[in-house]
Amino acid sequence: MADDPADDDAELFRAAIGPVRRLPDTTPPPAAPMPRPRARMAERDEAQAREQFRHALDESLLDAGDALSYRRDEVSPRLLQKLKRGEISVQEELDLHGADTREAELLLRAFLHDARLHGVGCVRVVHGKGLHGAATIASSGMPVLKNLVDRMLRQRADVLAFHSAPPAQGGTGAVLILLAPRRLRSS
């Protein structure tokens, strides 16, 4: 088997590359790092808290005829009464009719940010009563946009107070919002 073509090829290869020297052994690459430990108990507690929060929200949902009302401690009850009666001039308005929840949330955030940026003190947001259309009524029969607006306004630091508008300005289908004055940054 001296005439084996594989032996000829190997001999030709060795002749073509010339003398070979062995490379020193290299150290193996480091092992992949251990995965970071997960805080499984914290994740479970957080999921449980979210679920409890969701149930609490379901219990506190507003109905179509319910009035929205909120004031921070630093706002006097008298000022809230003036807002409730519509005695504070509304400078800007946003109408959320026909918007889905995601769109309404984005519009409301942008509207409030823009209003505060321009020094607007009082705005009206028309959310509707949630009496028409499947998109405006939750499976529980509660108005979606009205409850979304209520939750969002309560969480914003720039909202001092809000109350459902008087009947002539939209009643329980609209809300008047008193915004905190814009603080100027000192240079």
Side-chain angles (χ1 to χ4, degrees):
M1 285 211 148
D3 294 328
D4 187 13
D7 286 341
D8 289 340
D9 287 344
E11 188 64 36
L12 282 172
F13 177 75
R14 279 191 290 281
I17 62 166
V20 178
R21 70 179 163 88
R22 184 170 177 84
L23 293 174
D25 290 334
T26 59
T27 57
M34 295 292 290
R36 291 179 53 113
R38 281 182 39 212
R40 288 188 181 102
M41 294 295 282
E43 290 172 2
R44 190 180 70 197
D45 290 347
E46 200 170 305
Q48 195 174 22
R50 276 194 304 268
E51 191 61 32
Q52 287 176 350
F53 182 69
R54 212 173 283 125
H55 286 302
L57 287 178
D58 289 344
E59 292 171 6
S60 65
L61 288 176
L62 296 165
D63 204 357
D66 294 342
L68 301 179
S69 186
Y70 169 83
R71 77 172 172 86
R72 289 183 176 261
D73 292 336
E74 63 263 24
V75 175
S76 71
R78 189 172 171 203
L79 186 57
L80 181 66
Q81 284 301 316
K82 287 180 80 171
L83 188 66
K84 177 181 178 180
R85 290 190 297 261
E87 294 173 3
I88 299 176
S89 176
V90 172
Q91 296 163 290
E92 293 291 332
E93 180 177 285
L94 172 67
D95 190 343
L96 296 175
H97 278 109
D100 63 17
T101 54
R102 178 79 176 127
E103 183 183 9
E105 183 178 347
L106 293 172
L107 287 170
L108 183 57
R109 284 183 199 282
F111 174 72
L112 293 175
H113 174 76
D114 190 54
R116 185 139 184 258
L117 191 67
H118 290 92
V120 174
C122 184
V123 296
R124 177 176 34 242
V125 173
V126 180
H127 48 71
K129 295 182 182 182
L131 299 174
H132 308 288
T136 58
I137 303 172
S139 59
S140 60
M142 300 296 178
V144 174
L145 293 181
K146 181 175 189 168
N147 283 289
L148 172 76
V149 168
D150 181 59
R151 277 192 300 247
M152 284 183 64
L153 294 178
R154 289 176 188 274
Q155 295 172 358
R156 292 188 59 100
D158 56 352
V159 173
L160 296 175
F162 61 86
H163 199 285
S164 288
Q169 295 183 29
T172 57
V175 61
L176 303 179
I177 305 163
L178 189 62
L179 297 172
R182 181 174 163 221
R183 292 189 187 125
L184 298 176
R185 292 185 180 154
S186 55
S187 305

